[in-house]
Amino acid sequence: MSVGYDHVDLIAMKKYGVRLGHTSNISSEVIAETTIGLLIATARRFFEANHALITGEWKDSDIFWMCGRSIRNSIVGIVGCGNIGISIAKKLNSFNISQLLYTSRGEKPEAKNLGGKLVTIDELVEQSDFIIVSVALNEDTKYIINRKRIAKMKSHAVLVNIGRGELIDQDALIEALRENRIGGVGLDVMTPEPLPLDNPLIKMTNVVLLPHIGSSSIETRTEMAVVTAKNIIAVLDNSAMTKEVQL
Ligand SMILES: O=CC(=O)O
């Protein structure tokens, strides 16, 4: 009952003739909503600000207290422009950003129509003020955000990951955050999940962590459950699944 199937041994499934269903595209919209929320919460320091309020640190202060960065007039890069990436791009369109960048195997007409420019991953990390990782995890994309690419990011760049934890070299990310080499990070996915409470990310003020709740709306989870049930029934009936992975 998920979009991604990186946690399934596809070779073994194929070898033993086990069919695999998933919930492709059902959750794209709600994951895109989560992404926008996480992007703003990270860029505008919502959790840090909330913590300041509840701990009595909210005082008459200087005009730049708790300032974050606007999304307006910024360059936003989306790594991976599948259904979720496109849905994020559509929502961002109303934010008056200055440029949308994206990576993909080839130009995507839908992204182009939204003003998106196809770039390489290295160009994207170098040029973006906000970087959103929304690509499927596989052998080609594992650690796509590696140490070298983290080093290329702008010092104020905000990185958001709603794909899978292993898309990012998390140790390199923690180092960059410790040394204030990037602006902030918003993660709905991380390594491992659940994240142990002694992980350094948990205590960092420039990090917003969510417990992999990208698709967690009642409506979406209900729809995912129904499709999963239909997929199971299809296997029992030896008929076509609603969403089947071609092994
Ligand atoms: O991460 C969520 C999913 O793959 O559905």
Side-chain angles (χ1 to χ4, degrees):
M1 199 181 122
S2 63
V3 183
Y5 42 85
D6 49 281
H7 52 296
V8 180
D9 184 343
L10 299 184
I11 293 168
M13 299 286 279
K14 195 168 178 174
K15 180 172 168 196
Y16 295 107
V18 181
R19 293 171 66 191
L20 177 63
H22 68 145
T23 56
S24 151
N25 206 14
I26 293 168
S27 50
S28 302
E29 278 299 311
V30 79
I31 294 175
E33 287 176 12
T34 307
T35 309
I36 299 295
L38 187 53
L39 180 70
I40 298 175
T42 311
R44 297 289 305 282
R45 305 165 65 188
F46 280 4
F47 289 81
E48 217 184 318
N50 173 261
H51 185 261
L53 182 149
I54 61 180
T55 54
E57 287 160 47
W58 183 18
K59 310 221 165 66
D60 265 350
S61 50
D62 75 86
I63 57 165
F64 292 117
W65 185 71
M66 278 300 159
C67 281
R69 294 194 81 89
S70 300
I71 293 163
R72 179 174 165 263
N73 286 338
S74 67
I75 301 175
V76 184
I78 303 181
V79 180
C81 228
N83 294 325
I84 300 173
I86 291 289
S87 179
I88 295 167
K90 281 185 186 153
K91 295 184 190 345
L92 282 170
N93 217 25
S94 63
F95 281 73
N96 293 322
I97 61 174
S98 69
Q99 177 70 61
L100 175 71
L101 305 176
Y102 72 97
T103 64
S104 177
R105 282 195 207 99
E107 195 157 79
K108 290 259 167 134
E110 249 186 310
K112 197 176 175 195
N113 290 342
L114 292 162
K117 183 178 166 201
L118 177 65
V119 289
T120 64
I121 178 69
D122 289 290
E123 287 167 336
L124 186 143
V125 294
E126 253 169 34
Q127 294 171 25
S128 301
D129 301 301
F130 298 98
I131 300 162
I132 299 170
V133 184
S134 77
V135 72
L137 175 67
N138 55 44
E139 281 312 311
D140 296 332
T141 59
K142 191 170 177 180
Y143 299 139
I144 190 164
I145 303 296
N146 58 23
R147 184 175 294 274
K148 222 175 76 211
R149 291 185 177 136
I150 292 171
K152 285 184 177 179
M153 289 177 189
K154 294 181 180 174
S155 59
H156 63 254
V158 168
L159 173 70
V160 168
N161 186 11
I162 50 91
R164 287 290 183 265
E166 283 173 297
L167 294 166
I168 297 181
D169 179 341
Q170 198 165 280
D171 292 337
L173 184 68
I174 291 170
E175 263 176 45
L177 285 162
R178 271 200 181 121
E179 293 163 14
N180 283 319
R181 282 191 273 116
I182 55 174
V185 168
L187 303 175
D188 184 45
V189 288
M190 58 216 76
T191 316
E193 293 179 15
L195 193 68
L197 293 182
D198 60 357
N199 188 287
L201 285 171
I202 288 187
K203 293 226 164 77
M204 291 179 163
T205 47
N206 46 354
V207 174
V208 174
L209 299 173
L210 296 179
H212 203 145
I213 55 162
S215 65
S216 304
S217 80
I218 305 272
E219 299 82 355
T220 301
R221 284 288 166 94
T222 305
E223 211 183 323
M224 287 167 79
V226 169
V227 166
T228 303
K230 284 185 179 163
N231 281 345
I232 294 167
I233 293 166
V235 174
L236 298 174
D237 284 350
N238 207 16
S239 60
M241 286 193 204
T242 309
K243 305 273 183 189
E244 182 155 1
V245 177
Q246 297 312 316
L247 296 171

